[in-house]
Amino acid sequence: MKVFVLNKHGKPLMPTTPRKARLLLKQGKAKVAGREPFAIQLLHGSSGYKQPVTLGIDGGYATAGYSALTEREELIGGQVHLLSGMSERITERKMYRRQRRRRKRYRAPRFDNRRKSEGWLAPSVQHKLDAHLKLIARVRSILPVIRVIIEVANFDIQQIKRPGISGVEYQQGEQAGFWNLREYILHRDGHECQSPECSKKSVVLRIHHLGYWKKDYSDRPDNLITLCIECHTQSNHQPGGLLYGWEPTVKPFKAETFMTTVRWRLIDATGAEATYGHLTKSKRIALKLEKSHRNDAFVIAGGTDQTRAEVTDFEEIKNHARARSRFYDAIYVDTRTGEKAYGKDLHCGRTTRNRNLNGENLRRYRGRKVRKGRVSIRRDDYPIRPRDIVLYDGEKHVVKGMCSYGKQVALYVKDGKPWYVATSKVVSLRKRRGLCVVV
């Protein structure tokens, strides 16, 4: 475990041991500068000794890996769990906004007076890019990073399109090109056999040339497909076999191209160097490391035999609950079963204006109303929010949420069920917003 150190001007120095950090704090020569991860700031001058630190980033859509290391050891490394559900929250916000506008007064629809700025990204993608930038800024704030390397994609599309491209970064020998093209085909096909008659029982996959029966052995992506060893047999290659004359439609790979565009913006914003997943994979296999975002980031940063650091995982936590109003549906007793059911489950059956497409009217099964439907509007931010750390009865707990208009706090317990306690009986220890260390 390392304690990160800042000089008296707030610039990062090399980390120290916990024992030395405790002595500096006890002697009044340093103060606490941060807790996620823990860092101290010196109150006096120092020699400013630094070592070159390289930061490797394994970018991802849901989870990203990072690793910062020197020539001798890894200083910090782990994974970052990015925020999910952005599209759903934006859709919910739009629904509440439209309802609010319609209740106020009639407003003519406006759809042609919106202008998007240059370089605009959808909010569901923009916040992923921002999370990577925050991660790099966080590591740079506690370590003297002089070099950043980011994996921008699993494969190099330019090398696939132009096999004869020249340059130092492409002159890695035949094996590097093999990993590149193979990784592209496997990723495009979802690491599954594409044969329609495959039982999907074998996990050993091969790359098959579709045009072999017409003497086409080119390595174009549209001439390659993924098959398992049970389908990629000699008998299936013979006339009358499964693969002879087979011409399936190969799906394009637009999703990866889209993510590559986003990650190139990350390269431009940070001034980092770019690498590709096929290079990372071949090096990781040579080092006999397990597949993980953290190990990939370690390899990206140039790791070989350095001493590994303890895992420091981050998670992204929302700063605010943007939906101020919430609708709580009415609850009825279903006369068919005698159990409670929401009003949306016992609906009228109408889905469109076309009566021929309407379903069964289930409203006639609504029995006694157990609870009325209502709209709850939260007008103030509560001092304690979900995922905060609080002290209750001498023990630390993670907050699940607030209820009863802030009078009660729901805490996580071991059996998974929330535990409701009065807000006055808990003490807030740590507010967790944005990029936080996993507890």
Side-chain angles (χ1 to χ4, degrees):
M1 180 179 178
K2 295 289 185 180
V3 176
F4 302 96
V5 183
L6 308 178
N7 64 13
K8 64 179 183 179
H9 302 293
K11 301 298 181 181
L13 302 174
M14 298 306 295
T16 185
T17 60
R19 177 182 178 277
K20 189 173 182 179
R22 285 194 300 267
L23 293 176
L24 291 173
L25 292 173
K26 187 176 181 179
Q27 297 172 3
K29 297 181 179 180
K31 64 178 182 179
V32 177
R35 297 185 181 274
E36 294 189 355
F38 191 79
I40 62 173
Q41 183 176 2
L42 300 178
L43 300 179
H44 58 83
S46 61
S47 62
Y49 172 72
K50 299 178 183 179
Q51 298 178 18
V53 178
T54 303
L55 173 62
I57 300 292
D58 179 26
Y61 191 79
T63 306
Y66 74 100
S67 178
L69 49 86
T70 62
E71 294 181 356
R72 297 188 303 173
E73 61 179 341
E74 183 185 33
L75 302 177
I76 188 173
Q79 298 185 154
V80 181
H81 306 284
L82 304 181
L83 201 61
S84 60
M86 178 65 72
S87 299
E88 292 77 5
R89 287 192 292 274
I90 293 176
T91 303
E92 182 183 11
R93 183 184 64 179
K94 182 176 65 174
M95 177 190 67
Y96 285 122
R97 179 183 296 165
R98 286 183 175 179
Q99 291 178 355
R100 188 166 59 250
R101 289 170 63 91
R102 290 171 182 173
R103 285 195 300 265
K104 187 174 182 180
R105 61 181 175 84
Y106 173 76
R107 298 182 182 184
R110 297 181 296 175
F111 57 90
D112 57 351
N113 63 341
R114 302 294 188 265
R115 297 293 183 268
K116 295 183 176 64
S117 59
E118 185 178 357
W120 178 88
L121 290 175
S124 58
V125 178
Q126 181 66 49
H127 88 280
K128 304 284 186 183
L129 176 62
D130 295 340
H132 286 74
L133 294 175
K134 291 177 183 177
L135 173 63
I136 297 175
R138 176 71 63 86
V139 178
R140 277 177 164 172
S141 66
I142 59 176
L143 286 174
V145 177
I146 64 172
R147 185 186 181 194
V148 181
I149 306 175
I150 303 176
E151 182 181 298
V152 295
N154 286 337
F155 45 84
D156 187 350
I157 297 179
Q158 296 299 325
Q159 188 183 30
I160 294 174
K161 292 182 178 179
R162 297 187 298 161
I165 187 172
S166 61
V168 177
E169 65 274 18
Y170 293 101
Q171 297 172 359
Q172 304 295 335
E174 297 180 356
Q175 187 175 4
F178 166 77
W179 281 108
N180 190 0
L181 186 58
R182 174 183 170 82
E183 189 66 16
Y184 172 83
I185 302 301
L186 291 175
H187 202 79
R188 182 198 66 187
D189 297 337
H191 289 79
E192 291 184 356
C193 179
Q194 301 300 302
S195 173
E197 300 182 10
C198 181
S199 60
K200 308 294 182 182
K201 294 182 180 180
S202 177
V203 295
V204 181
L205 302 177
R206 296 286 184 267
I207 303 301
H208 170 66
H209 288 81
L210 291 172
Y212 77 96
W213 53 277
K214 50 185 178 182
K215 309 302 181 182
D216 183 6
Y217 294 96
S218 62
D219 290 337
R220 304 186 323 274
D222 58 351
N223 191 44
L224 300 175
I225 200 168
T226 304
L227 294 176
C228 65
I229 58 175
E230 295 181 359
C231 298
H232 197 254
T233 60
Q234 185 67 26
S235 59
N236 285 335
H237 284 74
Q238 303 301 322
L242 174 65
L243 305 178
Y244 195 87
W246 184 39
E247 294 181 314
T249 301
V250 179
K251 61 181 180 180
F253 205 78
K254 297 180 180 179
E256 189 66 21
T257 304
F258 175 72
M259 285 304 302
T260 302
T261 303
V262 175
R263 291 172 181 175
W264 276 117
R265 298 194 182 193
L266 181 62
I267 293 291
D268 297 336
T270 58
E273 303 175 21
T275 186
Y276 294 93
H278 70 280
L279 301 174
T280 305
K281 181 177 180 180
S282 59
K283 295 177 183 178
R284 175 172 49 80
I285 293 177
L287 294 174
K288 299 181 180 180
L289 296 176
E290 296 182 356
K291 168 61 180 175
S292 69
H293 289 282
R294 184 200 174 197
N295 288 337
D296 284 349
F298 176 76
V299 174
I300 291 170
T304 53
D305 57 351
Q306 289 90 337
T307 304
R308 304 298 298 272
E310 294 184 7
V311 179
T312 304
D313 290 342
F314 287 91
E315 61 179 343
E316 198 176 8
I317 301 177
K318 292 190 300 180
N319 289 330
H320 301 283
R322 294 190 176 124
R324 292 284 181 172
S325 61
R326 291 186 178 275
F327 173 70
Y328 295 90
D329 201 357
I331 298 179
Y332 298 87
V333 175
D334 193 338
T335 58
R336 298 171 296 179
T337 61
E339 298 180 355
K340 296 179 182 180
Y342 287 103
K344 64 179 181 180
D345 298 327
L346 301 176
H347 54 81
C348 65
R350 180 178 178 180
T351 56
T352 63
R353 295 184 179 274
N354 189 345
R355 296 182 179 180
N356 297 327
L357 301 178
N358 290 344
E360 180 185 3
N361 185 3
L362 302 179
R363 284 195 173 185
R364 62 175 180 268
Y365 299 117
R366 291 184 178 182
R368 179 177 59 89
K369 180 180 286 189
V370 179
R371 187 187 72 182
K372 294 176 60 176
R374 63 185 179 89
V375 176
S376 177
I377 300 178
R378 180 170 54 86
R379 305 187 184 278
D380 297 320
D381 285 330
Y382 299 131
I384 300 177
R385 299 181 187 176
R387 314 300 289 276
D388 285 357
I389 307 296
V390 297
L391 183 67
Y392 173 72
D393 198 16
E395 296 182 358
K396 295 181 181 180
H397 296 274
V398 180
V399 176
K400 184 177 182 180
M402 302 289 292
C403 56
S404 301
Y405 295 97
K407 297 179 181 179
Q408 287 186 327
V409 182
L411 306 178
Y412 284 102
V413 291
K414 294 182 179 180
D415 58 0
K417 297 181 180 179
W419 185 14
Y420 298 94
V421 297
T423 307
S424 58
K425 295 183 179 180
V426 302
V427 178
S428 178
L429 295 181
R430 189 188 310 171
K431 297 184 182 297
R432 306 180 71 230
R433 311 282 188 271
L435 208 59
C436 303
V437 177
V438 176
V439 296

